[in-house]
Amino acid sequence: MTQLSIAMPTQRSAPQAAPNSRRWRSITIHPLLYVGLGLAVFLAPIPVSQAAGFWTTSGKVTGTGQAVVATGQDPAEVRGWMTIQMILDAYAVPQAELYAAFGIPSDTPAFATLSSLETVAPGFSTASLRTWLADRKAR
Amino acid sequence: MTASTLPIVRRPRSWGLRVQRGRHVLQLGFVALVAYVAAQRLIFPEDSGVLTPSGEALCPFGGFESFYKWVTSGGTFIPHTHAANLVLAASIVLVAVAARGFFCGWICPFGALQEGIAALSHGLQRRFPLLRRGIRALERRLAPVAFLDHWLRYLKYAVMVWAIGGAALFGVMVFRDVDPWSALVNVTELEAVGGLVVLGVAVAASFFVERPWCRYACPLGAVQGILGRIGPLAIERASNACLSCNVCSANCPVNIPVHAVTRVTSPDCIGCLQCVGACPSEGGLGLKLALPGARPTIARPVLLGALLPK
C-alpha cells in the first residue's frame, strides 16, 4: 500500500453536517460484514415463516403443505388454477347451466382450468364466476 | 509534516474490483434462481398437475400490495399473491432499515439485468468508437433537459402510491398489467403485454442510462428509500482523507453526488459500494454505522438517529 503525502486545502466545503458530532460516532463496517448482514436479514424470515407454516408460493397448497381444494362453502375460494370439474363437484352445478351462463363452448373439456376459459369465453372471468356462484347460492 | 498535510493511504484498485466481483456473483445467483422458477413454469404449466412455485410469489412488492387485504379480510390475499410475498415484504422492511438499498444493489434480479445491459453498452462503446461518439452526441443534445432527471425520480413514489393504494381500494393488483417483474417471470406465457412493453423500454433505456427503472419508476425502491431513512448504516465521506477527485460520483450508477456530501442519505442509494470501491483513498469513503457517542441519550436511540436533525 503506497503512502502519499498530499497538501490539503485549508478550507473544505461541507454541504452536509457529519453525523459524528460530539454525541455521535461512526464505526466502519467491512463490506463482507455488510453483505452478511444484508443477506441474513433478508433471508432469515423465510425459514422462520416456513417453520411457522406461513410460507406458500402457490395457491394450490396451504402453508402446512396441504392441497387447497374447492369446498363449495365460499365462492371467494375459487381460483384461476381450479378446473371446471372442481367447481361442478364442489358447488353441485350442472355443467350445462355453467356453460350456458358464460357462453362456454360445449366442447370445452371439464378438466380445463378456469383461467384458460377467459380466452374461449369472452364473458368469463374467475371474478365473475365467484359472483355468479354467490348469487346462485343465495337463491 | 506540517498541519496542512495529511498522510493519504492509497487503496489498491483491486480491492474495489473484488467487492464488485462478489456483488456480481451474488446478483447472478439470484438471477439464476428466478430463471429456474420461470423455467419450471415453462416446463410444467398450470394444468400439468405438477406443483411449481409462482414467480410472482417471489416478488416482495406483492406483499406490500396485498398487506391491506390480508389485514382487513382476516388472512386472504389479492389474486396472484401468496404468503411468500408478505414474508419477503417483511424481509425488505428489515433490510431497508438495517442496510438501506442492499436489496437493490446486491439481490434484485431486475436491477442486475439493467446493470448487465449497461455493461454491454459500455463494452460495445469501447469496441466501437462510432457508437461511443453517437451516444456522447445524444447526451450533449439532451443536456438542456438533464434537469428532468431530478424531477422524474419522484415518479416512483407516485407509482408506489398508485400500486399499493389501488390494490387496497380495488382488491386487485392494478399495477400488474404494466409490471415488468410480472412480465419477466411470466415471459413464456406472454400474459402481461403492457408489462412486456415496460420491460422492453426499461431494458432498451438501460443501454443509455444506468438503472432507469430503479431511478424513475420502481415502487419497491421507493418503499426502501423511505424506510432506509431511519437506518443507522450509510456510506460516509471523510473530508480529511478525501482527494476531491470526484471518482466516487462518477462511478455512482444512480448519479448521487457522493463527493458533495459527508453522509450518503439519498433514498436513491442502492448500496452497491461502487463509490467506495472506486475511491483511491483508504479512508476517504466507507460504510459507517452511526452509534451514540460517549454520552448516549435515551431520546436519541440509534435507529431513530437518521430521522432527527443533526
Side-chain angles (χ1 to χ4, degrees), chain B residues 24-238:
Chain B
H24 294 146
V25 167
L26 199 59
Q27 283 179 310
L28 278 176
F30 282 97
V31 167
L33 175 71
V34 170
Y36 173 68
V37 170
Q40 275 188 312
R41 299 290 275 190
L42 176 67
I43 297 164
F44 305 109
E46 194 89 85
D47 52 3
S48 68
V50 178
L51 186 66
T52 53
S54 157
E56 285 177 280
L58 301 181
C59 174
F61 192 68
F64 292 105
E65 289 172 292
S66 207
F67 184 70
Y68 180 81
K69 172 84 182 283
W70 183 71
V71 170
T72 55
S73 68
T76 58
F77 303 96
I78 58 174
H80 306 291
T81 60
H82 310 280
N85 295 98
L86 272 187
V87 175
L88 292 174
S91 291
I92 286 292
V93 172
L94 295 173
V95 167
V97 172
R100 288 186 189 257
F102 177 82
F103 175 84
C104 304
W106 293 72
I107 295 177
C108 181
F110 194 41
L113 175 67
Q114 292 173 87
E115 275 191 34
I117 302 290
L120 174 71
S121 171
H122 292 152
L124 288 175
Q125 286 180 56
R126 274 195 298 272
R127 181 83 175 78
F128 303 105
L130 195 64
L131 177 69
R132 186 175 64 237
R133 282 198 292 274
I135 289 179
R136 293 288 173 277
L138 186 67
E139 282 173 359
R140 279 195 298 275
R141 186 158 288 192
L142 291 175
V145 291
F147 68 94
L148 284 177
D149 174 72
H150 172 76
W151 295 106
L152 283 174
R153 287 175 193 240
Y154 290 103
L155 186 65
K156 59 178 172 281
Y157 299 101
V159 174
M160 177 192 74
V161 170
W162 167 57
I164 296 177
L169 273 177
F170 303 113
V172 292
M173 297 166 90
V174 294
F175 175 60
R176 186 171 185 259
D177 289 342
V178 291
D179 182 1
W181 171 266
S182 173
L184 193 63
V185 293
N186 293 318
V187 72
T188 53
E189 297 169 22
L190 292 172
E191 208 179 53
V193 179
L196 278 176
V197 170
V198 174
L199 176 66
V201 170
V203 166
S206 300
F207 202 83
F208 305 97
V209 182
E210 284 191 81
R211 287 188 172 243
W213 176 257
C214 313
R215 283 189 200 204
Y216 307 123
C218 181
L220 186 60
V223 171
Q224 288 180 93
I226 293 168
L227 292 170
R229 301 286 294 179
I230 62 171
L233 195 66
I235 291 165
E236 280 183 24
R237 186 177 63 87

Side-chain angles (χ1 to χ4, degrees), chain B residues 215-274:
Chain B
R215 283 189 200 204
Y216 307 123
C218 181
L220 186 60
V223 171
Q224 288 180 93
I226 293 168
L227 292 170
R229 301 286 294 179
I230 62 171
L233 195 66
I235 291 165
E236 280 183 24
R237 186 177 63 87
S239 302
N240 57 356
C242 179
L243 301 171
S244 300
C245 60
N246 295 2
V247 162
C248 47
S249 301
N251 276 273
C252 179
V254 288
N255 277 13
I256 296 172
V258 182
H259 72 280
V261 295
T262 50
R263 186 172 165 84
V264 180
T265 56
S266 167
D268 293 329
C269 178
I270 57 169
C272 62
L273 304 186
Q274 289 197 52

Side-chain angles (χ1 to χ4, degrees), chain A residues 16-39:
Chain A
Q16 194 179 332
N20 42 352
S21 60
R22 256 184 329 127
R23 284 183 169 180
W24 290 87
R25 65 196 163 93
S26 293
I27 57 168
T28 303
I29 302 293
H30 192 277
L32 269 180
L33 182 61
Y34 172 65
V35 175
L37 171 80
L39 276 180

Side-chain angles (χ1 to χ4, degrees), chain A residues 68-79 82 87 90-91 126 129-131 133-135 137, chain B residues 69 73 76:
Chain A
V68 170
V69 289
T71 61
Q73 300 298 313
D74 180 10
E77 72 187 0
V78 173
R79 293 285 178 266
M82 291 178 176
I87 302 304
Y91 290 87
T126 308
L129 175 63
R130 287 191 198 113
T131 310
L133 286 171
D135 290 345
K137 206 165 183 240
Chain B
K69 172 84 182 283
S73 68
T76 58

Side-chain angles (χ1 to χ4, degrees), chain A residues 42-57:
Chain A
F42 180 72
L43 297 174
I46 297 173
V48 171
S49 65
Q50 283 174 330
F54 189 75
W55 175 267
T56 52
T57 55

